[in-house]
Amino acid sequence: MSANRPAAVVVLAAGEGTRMKSATPKVLHSLCGRSLVGHVVAASRELDPEHLVVVVGHAREQVSAHLAEIDPAARTAVQHEQNGTGHAVRMGLEELAGGGDAAPAGGTVVVVCGDTPLLTGETLQRLSDVHSADGNAVTVLTAEVPDSTGYGRIVRDPADGAVTAIVEHKDATEAQRAITEINSGVFAFDGALLSDALGKVRTDNSQGEEYLTDVLGILREAGHRVGAAVAADHREILGINNRVQLSEARRLLNERLLRGAMLSGVTVVDPASTWVDVSVTFEPDVVVHPGTQLHGATHLAAGAEVGPGCTLTDTVVGEGARVINTVADGARVGAEANVGPYAYLRPGTRLGRKAKAGTYVEMKNAEIGEGAKVPHLSYVGDATIGEYTNIGAASVFVNYDGEHKHHTTVGSHCRTGSDNMFVAPVTVGDGAYTAAGSVITKDVPPGALAVARGQQRNIEGWVARKRPGSAAAQAASAARKETDGGQ
Ligand code: UD1
Ligand code: CA
């Protein structure tokens, strides 16, 4: 537990986010497999606060339901009208005080915005440490940015450099707009002083809102210590207001995640075309080729090689396995197995050690034994295939009768012919063979050869009679002459 455990973190997430131009509330937009507010809540949890309260408002049922899913211990406070960040924090504190007027339990209250997903727990901890070390009433996390448009500007006393106020972009003078140090929207407050100062915030600004940022000036004028911590990396405090910023944040977070993977021993051939979720895990000596997306609970074990052109979701790739140009969702690929190019592994696919799902192969709810191969142009659905069996090219496991799904079992060491249909439910015994072009509707005993196709019959001279003078007839005639002449 941290020495500076805050009494509470208040996450502001009530705004609509009009600039996103979206039916989805802003804080529920996602990057790298997690919602904007999900990233902020995760970073906040690293402070181990006694309470975590999220202020919801716009589309609050949707946002609350999402929070209940990702962090059931988080509390929510409702801000019915979005009257500004100061008003939102007031709602959060009221929730913490149990709906009464009482100030929240003493101690530090950290406020973060739900739209700054790149913020790290480390930076929050540093802010909290500076706040308590300096004995401040409020400490604001600031950053020097190349483009300060839209952000609140940090106004400092020219004499001693102390922060005197935060001026919103819309309320700033030309001179203030030239300031490049901005408010990240993240603060550490003395809880009791915050509560008191929020009661004094006015709404005489360009937006007619209660600005949280006005609390700084109020506390300073009352003689309290106002401090600032400058973020080491300004990119961390990027606030998402529109979809251009969303894509920038996604790129930055993706770079951060890939950097972590590379430093822990993963080769990423082309970071610019490789996209990963925060929940993806790697072991050393994995190689990721270009054009690859890894989502959800995907895990790549040591020495696995994935890509180019793979999209893997909730998929586990075993040690030394090779997966090329593949889409997989909810699949498990065994050690040293081979997948693709151009395979589609759907939920419930389990490939054993050294198994193969080859080119233009689709699998679903299929268990493929060790060393078993489905190399070409096949669909395997609802099936169990034993070890070291080979399934011939262009085979279909006919699992659906139009109403229900049925299971097919193929034993171990089988050799099934090309272009087979296995009409489920059906079982092929261990060591059995099936002839090419067979439609297998009955069980095949172990070691038998099943032949289930029409007999071939050749009608001699048909082309000469029915297609006289055609190129085919001429070719046939030439071939006959050659054969006859050779005899
Ligand atoms: C805010 C800050 C600005 C800072 C910037 C950093 C204020 C007045 N301005 O501006 O100084 O540089 O963040 O990104 O604080 N929200 C509510 N209820 C409301 C209004 C907002 O919950 O009534 C929430 C929003 O959902 C959002 C956050 O507060 O998560 C910030 O609101 P937003 O409208 O994005 O503020 P900015 O204009 O970006
Ligand atoms: Ca914002």
Side-chain angles (χ1 to χ4, degrees), residues 79-88 90 203 208-211:
Q79 183 193 26
H80 288 282
E81 277 174 54
Q82 280 68 71
N83 295 331
T85 47
H87 180 252
R90 213 142 59 69
T203 55
E209 290 182 351
E210 291 178 33
Y211 288 169

Side-chain angles (χ1 to χ4, degrees), residues 61-114:
E61 281 87 14
Q62 223 180 321
V63 178
S64 299
H66 173 69
L67 288 165
E69 217 172 278
I70 62 162
D71 189 340
R75 294 164 67 172
T76 53
V78 178
Q79 183 193 26
H80 288 282
E81 277 174 54
Q82 280 68 71
N83 295 331
T85 47
H87 180 252
V89 172
R90 213 142 59 69
M91 300 303 107
L93 294 187
E94 273 178 24
E95 161 65 28
L96 286 170
D101 298 330
T108 302
V109 173
V110 172
V111 175
V112 294
C113 292

Side-chain angles (χ1 to χ4, degrees), residues 392-393 395 415-421 423 433-442 444 449-457:
S395 292
R415 295 285 179 271
T416 69
S418 291
D419 195 27
N420 274 198
M421 302 286 129
V423 182
Y433 277 55
T434 62
S438 288
V439 179
I440 304 296
T441 54
K442 288 187 260 176
V444 181
L449 165 69
V451 186
R453 64 184 184 212
Q455 287 289 327
Q456 180 171 338
R457 110 191 133 98

